[in-house]
Amino acid sequence: MAKITVNDFLKKKTEQKKITMITAYDYPFAMIADEAGIDALLVGDSLCMVVQGHENTLPVTMDEMIYHTKMVSRAARNAMVIGDMPFMSYQTGIEDAVRNAGRFLKEAGAAAIKLEGGSEVQGHIKTMTRADIPVMAHIGLTPQAVHRMGGYKVQGRSEDAAKRLLEEARAVEDAGAFALILEAIPLDLAKKITEEISIPTIGIGAGPHCDGQVLVLHDVLGLFERFVPKFVKRYANLKEDALTAIRTYKDEVEKGLFPGEEQSFK
Ligand code: KIV
C-alpha cells in the first residue's frame, strides 16, 4: 500500500469516506497505529502533557518535536506523518514559522505540519504552502491559547462565536490549508463548517459529521488519567495491564521465581 498523501485526504472527503487520525509520539506505538491502518499520525504537541508530564502544551520545544517526529516517521509505512508546530515556533513571525515547519519535512520525515489558529495565521499558511509545506489548520479549542481562553472550554457556542469560527474556517481554506482540525465545538456548527468548506474537517470533540476524527493515543489506550475530556472514548486500559505486569514481575523477583530455568544459561 502506498503512503497516504494530502490528495487522499481530499479524495476521501469527495467520496464521503471517513479519515482516521491518531496521535503518535514514538516508534512502537506509531508502528501499531500504522499497522492498524490509520490514515495519519499526528505528532501532537499534546506529547508535552501525556509523555513529558507538563500541565499544558506550552513548554515543549521545536527540537523535542523533531526528536519525536523522527521516531514516528521511522515506523510509518502507510500513514501520513504530520508534525505539530509547538508554542512560539510560529507565533513570532512568518519567517520563523516557515523555517520551523520546513524542519519537520527536511529533518524529521513528516509530510505535513499542523498549526493552531485561523485568520491570524493566514499569512503563515500561504507562505508555507507556497514553500511546498502542506498545512493542516486547527480552530475551536486551541490548547496553546489556554491562558487567553481561561481554560479548556467548548468554543463557538454563541451565535457570534459560531459565525467567527465559520469565517476562520474559510480563512484557512482560502490560505491553502489542505485540512482543518475542529476541536471542542458544538456538533451542528462542525456539520455546517464541514458542509461549507471544500477541505476535509477532522474533529476532536466536534461530533460525528466531520470528514474524519482524531484522538490522543494515550486517551484511547487508557494511559493518561490526569483528566479525561468528555469527547474521549477509551478503547483499552493499558495502564491497568502495565501495572499488573510490572507488579507480577516485582513479586516474582522478590519470591525468587524469576528468572527461571528458561531464562537462564547453562
Ligand atoms: O496536540 C495534539 O495532540 C492535537 C490534537 C489532539 C488535535 O493538537
Side-chain angles (χ1 to χ4, degrees):
M1 205 168 104
K3 266 216 165 162
I4 303 286
T5 68
V6 292
N7 300 331
D8 296 309
F9 265 59
L10 290 172
K11 191 160 172 269
K12 282 205 160 189
K13 178 169 178 117
T14 314
E15 293 173 353
Q16 296 188 334
K17 289 186 182 150
K18 294 284 186 188
I19 296 161
T20 57
M21 193 162 143
I22 198 163
T23 65
Y25 315 108
D26 61 21
Y27 182 80
F29 280 116
M31 217 161 69
I32 293 167
D34 187 75
E35 195 176 323
I38 287 282
D39 291 319
L41 302 176
L42 172 67
V43 188
D45 64 354
S46 49
L47 74 84
C48 192
M49 296 171 77
V50 303
V51 175
Q52 295 181 326
H54 290 288
E55 270 303 300
N56 56 45
T57 60
L58 306 190
V60 67
T61 66
M62 195 55 218
D63 284 344
E64 288 164 345
M65 292 303 299
I66 292 292
Y67 172 74
H68 284 274
T69 307
K70 282 181 178 174
M71 292 188 257
V72 170
S73 293
R74 278 180 214 127
R77 306 238 169 276
N78 306 122
M80 185 198 311
V81 176
I82 302 169
D84 200 4
M85 300 285 287
F87 184 56
M88 284 301 131
S89 67
Y90 59 100
Q91 289 90 342
T92 50
I94 293 180
E95 221 177 284
D96 284 349
V98 178
R99 193 174 303 112
N100 284 321
R103 289 188 63 194
F104 278 109
L105 276 65
K106 196 175 170 71
E107 295 173 36
I113 66 94
K114 175 179 88 59
L115 84 182
E116 296 181 8
S119 47
E120 75 277 19
V121 291
Q122 244 193 324
H124 302 59
I125 298 173
K126 267 189 196 154
T127 313
M128 287 177 191
T129 307
R130 262 192 237 123
D132 295 329
I133 302 168
V135 180
M136 174 175 279
H138 180 167
I139 63 169
L141 193 173
T142 46
Q144 290 177 16
V146 59
H147 296 308
R148 174 177 54 75
M149 293 183 308
Y152 299 114
K153 295 176 181 159
V154 175
Q155 303 293 303
R157 280 205 195 275
S158 71
E159 214 173 292
D160 264 7
K163 200 169 147 248
R164 265 200 312 278
L165 275 180
L166 182 56
E167 284 163 9
E168 302 289 4
R170 289 202 182 107
V172 297
E173 178 193 22
D174 287 348
F178 76 93
L180 170 62
I181 289 194
L182 300 174
E183 180 162 351
I185 67 170
L187 61 92
D188 287 343
L189 174 59
K191 182 170 189 280
K192 189 168 169 58
I193 293 174
T194 301
E195 285 166 358
E196 295 220 357
I197 64 173
S198 60
I199 58 174
T201 59
I202 313 293
I204 172 160
H209 306 295
C210 297
D211 298 304
Q213 297 291 328
V214 60
L215 278 177
V216 169
L217 176 85
H218 287 48
D219 289 336
V220 170
L221 297 181
L223 283 169
F224 186 71
E225 292 182 320
R226 211 162 68 216
F227 69 88
V228 182
K230 174 181 160 61
F231 56 72
V232 164
K233 182 167 176 186
R234 206 176 251 187
Y235 288 85
N237 195 346
L238 292 200
K239 191 214 154 175
E240 279 310 310
D241 290 348
L243 203 53
T244 304
I246 295 169
R247 275 189 181 138
T248 309
Y249 162 69
K250 174 183 180 287
D251 197 47
E252 289 195 359
V253 170
E254 286 172 350
K255 288 182 174 147
L257 298 171
F258 176 84
E261 252 183 52
E262 324 77 282
Q263 292 90 25
S264 303
F265 301 103
K266 290 246 159 74

